[in-house]
Amino acid sequence: MKKLLTTLFIFTLHLSAARADVGMWIPTLIGKNIAQMQAEGLRLSADDIYSANHASLKDAVVMFGGGCTGEIVSSDGLVLTNHHCGYQYIQQHSSVQHNYLANGFWAMSKAEELPCYEHHKLSVQLLNYIEDVTDIVLAQTDTIANADARSKTIRERISEIEHNRQASSKYTIAEVESFYGGNQYLLFVYTEYPDVRLVGTPPSEIGKFGGDTDNWVWPRHTGDFSIFRIYADKDNNPAEYSASNVPFHPKKHLRISTKGVAEGDFAMLIGYPGTTNLYATSTDIEATQNIINPKLIELRTAKLNVMNKYQAKSEKVNIQYAAKNAQTSNAWKKWKGEVSGLRKTQAIEKKRAFEAELRSKSALCDTLLSEYEAYYANSNTTQTLIAYSYWTEIVQRGGIEALQYAYTYYRNATDDDTQSNISFKDFDATLSEEMACAVWSVYCKNLPKQYWPKSMVAWKGSPESFIHSLYANSVFANENKFNKLRQSKHWASKITVDPAYTLLTEMLVVRDALLGQRKNINRNPKLANFNHNYIKALMQAYPDSIFPPDANFTMRISYGHVAGYDADDAVSYSYFTTFDGIIEKSQTNNPDYTIPQRLSDLYKQKAYLPYADPLDQKLHICFVSTCHTTGGNSGSPVLNANGELIGLNFDRAWNGVMSDMSYDPTICRNITLDIRYLLFIVDKYAGATHLIKEMLGEL
Ligand code: ARG
Ligand code: GLU
C-alpha cells in the first residue's frame, strides 16, 4: 500500500489537530484513496463517486460558466452555485429599474426564468469521461533532445487526440490536460449545455452580506448562492437558447440533507479547482511573497481606489462596475492574505528544510534546484515576471479599458475562436480614464523603460498626460465615436490608426519580447522543462508515495473534516456561524452589513425554526472544514459521508489562503454555506415554495 506523500508537507502536518489531506484527487484514480476516505467516515464506494458505466455523483456536478462549479439538485436540471458565480449574469439583467443585484429575483414559474445568452453568455459543462493518454502523448519523447521540438511534438499529439474526440458533436468538448509538470496526460470529454437560465437570487444584502470586508474571512455570514436551470431540446440534447427548449433531465442529481453537520464529521467536495502550485520551490515562494504579490497589490490598489470613488457617487456607475470591482478586489485581497500566510507559517524556511532533505537524497534534484536558484538570482528574471503580470493586468484585465477593448477587437480580427462583443454597457468614460492614469503611472514607475511601449518612451509628458491624450483621441474610449466609425466606410482600416489600437500593437511587441526572454530561458538546456524534470526526480526520490496532483481546472475530489481552528495567538474559531451573528453584524454603520428589513422580521418571528439545527435550535449559516480548495471550487457541492449535499463551498479563511502553495491543515479551512440557510431563504424569505418542493420533494 502506497502512503500519501506526507514527507513533502510533514513540517506542517499536525495530524492529530486536524485530519486532512492536501490532495485534490482525480476522480478516475480515487480508488487509490478510497480506503483512507472510508476509514475517515465515507460510506460510499469509489464507483458511487465516479463510474464510466452508471450514474454516479460526478454526473451531478457541472463546470459553471468559465470558472466556477455548480451542482444539479433536481430531475429538472435545477443548479445551485454561488451568488458571486452568478453575479455577472444577475448584473446583466439588472438596471436601475430592475435592480436584481439590490432586490433579488425569483422566478415563480419556469416561464419567468431568465435566459443568459446576451453580453455574458452562460453555459455549463458536464463531464462524460476521463481517459489516461500519457502513453500516446509522451511516446518516445525522451529521445527528442531539443526542448522546442519536444514540446511541439507533444502539442501536436494533444491537438490530434482532442480533434478526434471533439468531432462527435458540436457540443462535445475534448481537452487533454497536463499533470505533474507534463509527466502525465489525461483526456477529459465534456458535453456543453448553452441554454442556462436564472431562476433565483437573493438580494446582495444576503448573497454578498459582509461584502469585501468579510471576503476571505471567517467567521462568515454570507448567503452566497444563486439558482439556475439547464435547458435542453425536446430530446434532452444540448441546444442554443430557444423558447421551445425544455428543462434538462440529468443522469443524476444530488440529494439534500437537512440534518446538519457536527465537528469531526467527514466532508467531501467535488469541483473544478483552478490552479495550485504545490511543487513550488522555496525560490518560487520567495518570489511570490516578496516580489510578485506586493507589486500586483500596488497596481490593483490604484485601480480600486478610482472605482470605489466613482461607484460611491453614482448608482448607475455602481451597477456598471459592480462585477469588475468585485473581481479586482477579490484577488487583491487574496494576494495580501497569501503574503501574510506564507510569512506567518514560515513557508520559505519549511520548503528550504524539505529541499535540504531532498538534495541529500537525490543528486539530480540538488542540481536542478541550484540551477533554478541561479536563474532567479538574476534581476532580469524577476523584472520579467513583474512585466508579465502587469501586461495581463493592464491589457487583459482592464487596467486600461480602452486598451482592453482594442485587444478584444484585435483578437476578434485575428482569431476565429474568440468572437466576443465590444460592449460599452459597463463603461464609464470618466472613471475609466482616471483609472487608466492611476494604473499607468504605477506601470511606468515600477518598470524600467525597456518594458515601455515605444510611444511612451518617446512621450515628453507624464504618464497621466499620455493617458489623457489616449482617451481624448481613441474610439475605444468613446461609445459614440466607436459606433460612428463602425458605420463609416473602410472603418477597418481606419481602426488600425486609432491611438489605442496603435498602443496595443506596441504592447504586443513588449509581450513578444517578454515571451522571447522566456523562450531563451527554455532553450537553456539546464532550465528547459524545469517543472517536468524536477517533479519527475522528486517522485523518483520518494518511490513509495502517492503525490497529490496540482489543480488545473479539471474535476477533483477533496476530503477532510468539519473542524474549527486556532487562528492566532489566543484566538480560536468554532466551526459554524448562526443567524444571531447576522443580526449582530447588521447593527454597525458598515454598509457591507446592512440587511433587508424582511430578514430581520423573519428572525424576530423565528420563521427559521423548520430549518434550525436540532441541537441548538439556531439557524446555521456557514461552516468550515479541512477540505483543500482553491479558486474554481466556488459553488462546489460539499457532501456528507453518504454523499448528500450539506452545503455550497464559497471561500477560504484568511489565515490559510496561502494553501495554493503551502497547505497547512492546522489553519487552512474552506468555508461552506450551510444548505439549510439556502433553503430557509428560498422558502421563507422568497416564498418560492415550488423550488423547495422541487429540491426536497413533498415536505
Ligand atoms: N473569495 C471568494 C472567491 O475567491 C469570494 C469572492 C466573491 N465575494 C466578494 N466579496 N468579492 O471567489
Ligand atoms: N471564492 C473562490 C472561487 O470563486 C473559492 C474560494 C477559494 O479560492 O478557495 O472559486
Side-chain angles (χ1 to χ4, degrees), residues 59 88 94 142-143 309 333 346 399 482 626-627 676:
D59 296 310
Q88 53 177 320
S94 295
D142 279 349
T143 59
K309 175 172 129 190
K333 195 166 177 187
Q346 301 185 308
F482 182 80
T626 61
C627 301
R676 294 169 298 177

Side-chain angles (χ1 to χ4, degrees), residues 67-68 82 84-85 215-216 224 330 334 629-635 649-652 657 659-660 670:
C68 279
N82 290 145
H84 78 262
C85 293
N215 192 23
W216 300 110
D224 198 344
N330 190 43
K334 184 197 146 173
T629 54
T630 190
N633 268 130
S634 273
N649 181 73
F650 71 97
D651 211 0
R652 274 173 288 169
V657 296
S659 59
D660 292 351
N670 69 307

